[in-house]
Amino acid sequence: MQVEAMNSAMRVAIIGSGPRGMSVLERLVARLIEADSRESVEIFLIDDGYIGTGRVWSTEQSPHLLMNTVAQEISAFSGPWDGIEARPGNGPSFAQWWKLHREDYSQFGGYGPRAYYGEYLLYVLSAVERSLPPHVTLDKLSARVESLEEADATQLLYLSNSETLEVDRTVLATGHPSNHLQGFEKTLHDYATRTEGVAFMAGDSVADMNLSEIKPQQKVGIIGMGLTFYDLVAELTMGRGGEFIPQSDGSMRYNASGCEPRIYVGSRSGMPVPARGFNQKPSDYEYHPAIFTSERAFRIIQNGDVHFDRDVLPLLEAEISLVYAETKLRLKKGEDQARRLREYVINHQVDSVEGVSTFAHILGLSHPMAIDLYKLANPFRGCTFPSIDSFNEVLHSLLAADYEEAMRGNVDSPMKAALDVIRNSRSVIRLFVDFGGLHPHSHQNEFLRKFSPVSGFLSAGPPVFRILQLQALIKAGIVTVIGPSVKFEPAVGENGIVMSSPSVQDSTVTVKVVIDGRIPTTDITRDRSSLTQSLLEKGIYTPFVNRKKDVVFETGGVSVTASPFHPIRANQTIADKLYVLGIPTEHTRWFMQSGSSRPHKWIDFMIDADAIATDIVQGGGEKYDSNQVKKQHYATTGTL
């Protein structure tokens, strides 16, 4: 069935209605209101999950699944709220909405359940719909886009409900992929498929995993100890009726329901993701770097041949060490000494950890610590343990230390304040990395394989109370951490999958179910989506290749132009009626999994959405200067 065009209306399809797609919709309607044109516009918001939330933010998921960013730092509106009726460009932050619509804000330590954020996104969608100008319509289509074809000036979208939709512009904001398995994941999947009583669950959003198949007391192995691990543990414990009981000494005790499985877990590092520091910063907090600045980045980039370990990481670690040292100075010597350290660093153009340490020592800090990110992320490297129990004793002490630091806060804990620099420096890191800024070898091996997972590990942790919960579960015998570098292999002579750590003696455990607790990486060549594969087959999508002379690295992310992010076809022409945003472009750009903007300023998330909206409204005639608009927005909001 053909969906008829609305007279001569401009038709825009947004494929994917998660946070990225919703941000484009919000900015598009804001730009249309601002343009005050009478041209008819028909917008199609398409999702095969839940319209307005996507599947990751479904309102039907468990309340135990939490976000890892504090609510007061999140807004899906592109402007601060004036307290009147919400509309595009003017609406409450997630925290403001939460406090108005629910009475449990204080119960989660400021970290919202993902289902709540889904409700908030639906609130944003409702505000957008109420604000549509008379000449603009919004059609919400619950369907999967199976394929896309380019006509002379339009695109044909073939939907899973057998309809065909013809549009003038298409925004692809399709979210997390489901990949064809390879390597040991495929080995485990194939083994489980042919072996009775054994199951393997591929990496995915926990809300979409069928955990009901796991039986009480059944031995379950989890690959990875990142944020998904904490979600899985919450669902397999609290989600099955267990309770955490606060104790007088500040710890927690787990009261089991008897429906829990026995959980065994391991990862490369053997360390669960540390907690984020208790938030002490206001929602409009801005960090202004002294060493790892955009000005320095531009100078380095102009010289060319940028290698991450040689040219970028030393500056970032120097900035991190500066915050660590000035926090210690402030606590021991007062604000003036901390301020003097930063002034010395800026005035003397310090660009190394050694330089920071020298001035910190002069100002009275006897042992300023140099931050080694890789050591922090791999605390058990080179260690061996005589048993799982001995390993877990050491792990318990590290978790206790992490909890203590996290409770000191992200301002008063030198370590947590320092690690927040990683989050605050993402925009500078992108200057080096995006669109093949690094040498291909460095991009692949130094940045993506080494630094990127470590940066996420150290800067994107769970709420601090998750650490207490994990300690309680380990003590109760519900969760057992096997150790670092855990291997997963089919069992020989019995039905099961064997887990073991080469660093821990007698650590072999046979489990019946293995869950991959890692989010699938972006690789359009492995993506099982029929839409992605059709775009590849037609040459509309092609993987971005970082190429320097004879060194080549095919990234797996969609090759796109700079803002407003048109796909670059296989024949090197530009598909200027299409836009690709977010996760499909990961590796071409960096950290595209971000799902929100800030209440007081536009970060790249909203700048990108506005770039696309502006290009659509302008008909692609005037190319978009994202840096200029960013400066204009900061100037208007007073945040530059």
Side-chain angles (χ1 to χ4, degrees), residues 551-580:
V551 183
V552 176
F553 168 43
E554 183 178 293
T555 66
V558 178
S559 182
V560 293
T561 66
S563 177
F565 317 113
H566 301 300
I568 301 173
R569 301 185 185 98
N571 63 7
Q572 296 305 295
T573 59
I574 294 171
D576 61 1
K577 306 291 193 299
L578 303 177
Y579 310 85
V580 190

Side-chain angles (χ1 to χ4, degrees), residues 1-3 141 157-165:
M1 170 181 160
Q2 178 75 33
V3 176
L141 302 180
L157 309 182
Y158 296 91
L159 309 183
S160 57
N161 59 8
S162 300
E163 293 182 350
T164 304
L165 181 66

Side-chain angles (χ1 to χ4, degrees), residues 413-426:
S413 161
M415 181 59 71
K416 296 300 180 181
L419 293 178
D420 255 12
V421 170
I422 300 174
R423 295 171 57 85
N424 297 325
S425 299
R426 285 173 184 156

Side-chain angles (χ1 to χ4, degrees), residues 46-48 141-147 158-161 530-531:
I46 309 170
D47 205 303
D48 65 344
L141 302 180
S142 182
R144 183 173 60 257
V145 179
E146 299 283 7
S147 64
Y158 296 91
L159 309 183
S160 57
N161 59 8
S530 59
L531 173 60

Side-chain angles (χ1 to χ4, degrees), residues 406-419:
M407 287 303 294
R408 293 176 70 182
N410 58 6
V411 171
D412 291 337
S413 161
M415 181 59 71
K416 296 300 180 181
L419 293 178

